[in-house]
Amino acid sequence: RLFLYFCHPQTRCSQQLHSDMDRGDGSIKYILSGEGAGTTFTIDDGTGDIHAIQRLDREVKAQYLLRAQARNRLTDQPLEPESQFVVKIQDINDNEPKFPDGPYHASVPEMSHIGTSVIQLTATDADDPTYGSSARVVYSILEGQPYFSVDAKTGVVRVSLADMDRETRENYTVVIQAKDMGGQLGGLAGTTSVNIRLGDVNDNPPTFDQRLYQMSIPEAAPVGSVVGRIWAKDRDVGVNAEMEYSIIDGDGRDTFDISTDPTNLFGIITVKRPLNFESKPSYTLKVEGANTHLDPAFRHRVPFKDMTIVHVSVEDVDEPPLFDAPAYYVELAEDAEIGTVVRTVTARDPDAANNTVRYSIEKSSDPDKFFYLEITSGSLMTVRSLDREEVGWHNITILAMEMNNPTQISSASVAVRVLDVNDNPPSLTHYLEAYVCESAKAGQLIQTVTAVDPDQPLGGQHFSYRLAPEAANNPNFTLRDNQDNTAWILTRRGGWSQQDQTVFYLPVVISDGEQPVQTSTSTLTVRVCSCDREGNVMSCDAEAHSLPASLSRGALIAILACIFVLLGESR
Ligand SMILES: *[C@@H]1O[C@H](CO)[C@@H](O)[C@H](O)[C@H]1NC(C)=O
Ligand SMILES: *[C@@H]1O[C@H](CO)[C@@H](O)[C@H](O)[C@H]1NC(C)=O
């Protein structure tokens, strides 16, 4: 049998392999093989002493599997079967605890309660945890008290001071030590640092940087213009410093607006309604700024809002004169006498200076100079007679300028509508001619007559027709007024013949229905024509130079035929 005695790994000890068959005469040879044989361990083949020939490190290799055998030195015959044995390397505390993840960064909200966990640190020790205390680590704090503490066993870092305030101090460096051997004297130690940042909570109220803001804005500033900026400062940061502003009171509530700028910090005051220095030169606004993210934990001790006063002065701007109306509409009869005052306009300088105003007409708006605007009084009058039938509207532009500053000028439009006066007589529709067939009998309608009148009475035209007095008892034709602005011309006899008479002239008196009544006499030409059996005209007086409006196509052909005949004869 083989026996083995272990040695302490740190010493260059000699341990012995010994067979009970060894009689000490040197006839036995010990052989060592397996892991580390010849490199880490050697054996004295005569004595069986085993030496470690290399430094052993449990943390590199904790055990070796070796085989040993005793043989006859002469015959090299094995004296007994090979036996296996394990060399276990015994641990010593040669490794200090280490923080593989250090240095650490952590954060904890300010104002956290004592005992709030910040971070857990873990140190590792390479020594054998199953043997002795070489790997038993205890944590302690070297730096960072009294703000933080560390749990000796678990390595959890905790808050150890109440009401730590980020606004007072934000960053802390904590140094933690891990010591093995259960923290006992002689243990090995390793340290790490933890950078702890206090996170913000909303524990500070906003405060306006001014109790009273003075701002000013020109009265001409358009709606939307920025008047100024206010700021309720907050010692907190991020969302805890974000603000929302509102105008809660003051006589400028309806005239100005407030909004928060894109950073959510500043209040921007803008113009909401047009300003007018002359009617109100200053405004007061009571503005409130409030945090948008409230922390319920501090609701009872932090007022999350503040108030300030903003005083806005409106600056006077030299403005052009202002007409008493932006546009004027006037109606004027066309027979108005020259020099009639159409309308008197007024423009006033709205500025405090109240400069004198001068009036004029914009030339291109009255190219034919129908009107004149009295330069000091603003009286618009006619200087030419008007004619509705020629120009029905005069749309002119009038100007008002400050006498001592011609750049301050403004304009207004005046629409003059010319009203109708019955100043035109009616007359027969142009080119109206009539014809009578030779075959026509008494009482036959030969023409319907209509009239035209350039006037435009509001109630429409009402023409009346009659034959002129000299034709009143005409034995040849009669006129019948249809009372609908038309009249009929009828024959009074039969037996018409071109041989007797080719053309008759019939004076017709036409009156309109307006006051003063306008009357005219138009002469209707009636030609005698030969007609076919349907009453279509075949031929009329050859000297007719204008064609009756009501000629049929047949009549036209007949007339053309006559012309050819005439041409043929004259050749
Ligand atoms: C003049 O103004 C009136 C009213 O604004 C309008 O109806 C009319 O068409 C205008 N006439 C001309 C010629 O511009
Ligand atoms: C009526 O016709 C006849 C015959 O053609 C003529 O002599 C007479 O002058 C006419 N009368 C009038 C008033 O035209």
Side-chain angles (χ1 to χ4, degrees):
R1 280 186 68 184
L2 274 172
F3 297 94
L4 182 71
Y5 305 92
F6 290 102
C7 62
H8 193 276
Q10 282 279 286
T11 57
R12 294 238 159 185
C13 69
S14 85
Q15 288 295 303
Q16 214 179 23
L17 201 61
H18 190 76
S19 167
D20 57 359
M21 293 170 70
D22 191 348
R23 288 183 303 275
D25 56 3
S27 63
I28 287 183
K29 184 169 82 171
Y30 292 101
I31 311 269
L32 190 66
S33 62
E35 285 180 323
T39 56
T40 307
F41 302 103
T42 74
I43 191 163
D44 180 326
D45 67 354
T47 63
D49 283 357
I50 297 172
H51 300 268
I53 54 170
Q54 242 184 11
R55 188 185 165 91
L56 300 171
D57 188 351
R58 189 200 68 87
E59 283 76 49
V60 175
K61 187 159 174 61
Q63 60 182 35
Y64 295 83
L65 184 62
L66 290 162
R67 294 187 300 279
Q69 199 173 40
R71 292 174 180 251
N72 183 304
R73 189 176 288 276
L74 290 176
T75 65
D76 204 32
Q77 287 301 309
L79 297 176
E80 45 195 303
E82 199 177 56
S83 42
Q84 278 197 350
F85 60 97
V86 173
V87 176
K88 283 196 171 173
I89 311 301
Q90 200 183 72
D91 188 35
I92 60 162
N93 187 18
D94 57 348
N95 287 285
E96 77 275 11
K98 286 197 173 111
F99 290 96
D101 302 329
Y104 299 84
H105 297 272
S107 83
V108 66
E110 60 173 328
M111 300 291 162
S112 289
H113 296 297
I114 292 178
T116 303
S117 161
V118 181
I119 187 173
Q120 180 166 27
L121 310 182
T122 306
T124 54
D125 191 309
D127 291 322
D128 188 354
T130 63
Y131 177 80
S133 301
S134 309
R136 199 158 73 75
V137 170
V138 164
Y139 299 92
S140 62
I141 185 162
L142 301 186
E143 244 178 69
Q145 283 169 312
Y147 312 106
F148 297 96
S149 64
V150 67
D151 185 294
K153 267 192 197 149
T154 60
V156 173
V157 176
R158 294 180 191 282
V159 172
S160 63
L161 188 70
D163 291 342
M164 280 204 285
D165 188 15
R166 186 199 68 83
E167 286 76 30
T168 310
R169 179 175 168 189
E170 188 168 359
N171 291 296
Y172 294 83
T173 302
V174 172
V175 177
I176 301 292
Q177 183 188 65
K179 194 170 183 184
D180 61 17
M181 299 304 289
Q184 296 301 306
L185 209 63
L188 300 175
T191 63
T192 191
S193 64
V194 191
N195 294 307
I196 300 178
R197 197 179 61 75
L198 293 187
D200 189 44
V201 300
N202 196 355
D203 59 343
N204 289 286
T207 313
F208 277 103
D209 58 349
Q210 292 176 37
R211 289 288 105 196
L212 174 68
Y213 291 85
Q214 289 282 2
M215 298 179 182
S216 63
I217 178 99
E219 61 175 326
V223 167
S225 303
V226 172
V227 181
R229 197 176 82 156
I230 61 173
W231 184 23
K233 285 185 182 163
D234 194 313
R235 297 177 66 223
D236 296 316
V237 293
V239 295
N240 296 323
E242 285 186 4
M243 300 297 302
E244 194 165 47
Y245 297 93
S246 51
I247 299 174
I248 55 171
D249 204 359
D251 59 8
R253 282 184 81 160
D254 300 328
T255 312
F256 297 94
D257 240 346
I258 193 161
S259 59
T260 308
D261 81 322
T263 66
N264 291 316
L265 296 179
F266 303 100
I268 309 293
I269 296 176
T270 53
V271 177
K272 185 178 175 187
R273 295 220 178 124
L275 304 171
N276 187 340
F277 169 83
E278 288 75 26
S279 60
K280 188 155 172 51
S282 76
Y283 292 89
T284 302
L285 306 172
K286 193 170 176 184
V287 178
E288 185 184 87
N291 277 151
T292 50
H293 291 74
L294 311 186
D295 191 330
F298 296 94
R299 196 180 287 277
H300 57 286
R301 52 169 156 143
V302 180
F304 289 115
K305 57 188 182 185
D306 194 23
M307 205 272 297
T308 192
I309 300 291
V310 180
H311 188 259
V312 182
S313 345
V314 179
E315 296 164 357
D316 192 14
V317 169
D318 194 3
E319 294 162 293
L322 210 58
F323 278 102
D324 55 353
Y328 303 88
Y329 170 79
V330 193
E331 291 181 344
L332 188 64
E334 59 180 320
D335 63 352
E337 269 181 55
I338 289 175
T340 301
V341 173
V342 177
R343 166 85 202 232
T344 299
V345 297
T346 313
R348 241 179 42 75
D349 176 12
D351 299 316
N354 198 5
N355 284 320
T356 310
V357 172
R358 291 287 178 253
Y359 304 94
S360 60
I361 292 177
E362 212 251 303
K363 284 196 174 63
S364 67
S365 70
D366 184 25
D368 299 321
K369 299 197 174 66
F370 280 99
F371 298 94
Y372 171 70
L373 185 56
E374 220 285 313
I375 190 163
T376 54
S377 67
S379 295
L380 181 67
M381 54 188 79
T382 55
V383 288
R384 282 180 58 183
S385 53
L386 307 175
D387 185 1
R388 189 202 64 83
E389 287 73 35
E390 203 179 309
V391 187
W393 282 93
H394 293 273
N395 291 348
I396 60 179
T397 303
I398 56 172
L399 306 172
M401 74 175 64
E402 289 180 21
M403 194 167 81
N404 45 13
N405 186 359
T407 61
Q408 296 295 335
I409 188 162
S410 62
S411 67
S413 67
V414 181
V416 179
R417 184 181 178 185
V418 181
L419 298 183
D420 189 44
V421 165
N422 193 22
D423 54 358
N424 291 284
S427 60
L428 277 191
T429 307
H430 207 40
Y431 296 130
L432 197 58
E433 283 196 353
Y435 67 95
V436 58
C437 288
E438 288 177 318
S439 55
K441 304 211 165 43
Q444 191 162 330
L445 170 65
I446 59 162
Q447 180 66 49
T448 302
V449 295
T450 54
V452 289
D453 187 331
D455 292 321
Q456 239 173 28
L458 292 175
Q461 296 286 11
H462 297 286
F463 299 127
S464 57
Y465 304 85
R466 64 178 189 276
L467 289 179
E470 66 269 26
N473 296 314
N474 189 309
N476 304 318
F477 303 101
T478 90
L479 178 145
R480 193 179 127 191
D481 190 337
N482 294 318
Q483 308 290 325
D484 63 352
N485 291 338
T486 69
W488 285 349
I489 305 296
L490 305 155
T491 53
R492 211 166 183 177
R493 63 173 173 89
W496 302 92
S497 162
Q498 291 184 54
Q499 256 95 55
D500 294 348
Q501 191 165 343
T502 56
V503 78
F504 292 85
Y505 296 103
L506 196 60
V508 178
V509 177
I510 309 161
S511 304
D512 58 25
E514 299 300 309
Q515 290 302 322
V517 174
Q518 298 273 357
T519 302
S520 76
T521 303
S522 302
T523 301
L524 182 70
T525 307
V526 183
R527 298 183 186 285
V528 180
C529 303
S530 62
C531 303
D532 64 8
R533 256 179 299 162
E534 277 78 46
N536 295 323
V537 170
M538 300 296 289
S539 72
C540 304
D541 172 22
E543 281 166 33
H545 14 258
S546 61
L547 296 177
S550 54
L551 277 190
S552 67
R553 197 189 299 167
L556 204 62
I557 291 167
I559 291 168
L560 288 173
C562 290
I563 292 168
F564 281 127
V565 169
L566 285 172
L567 287 174
E569 279 175 353
S570 64
R571 210 181 277 160

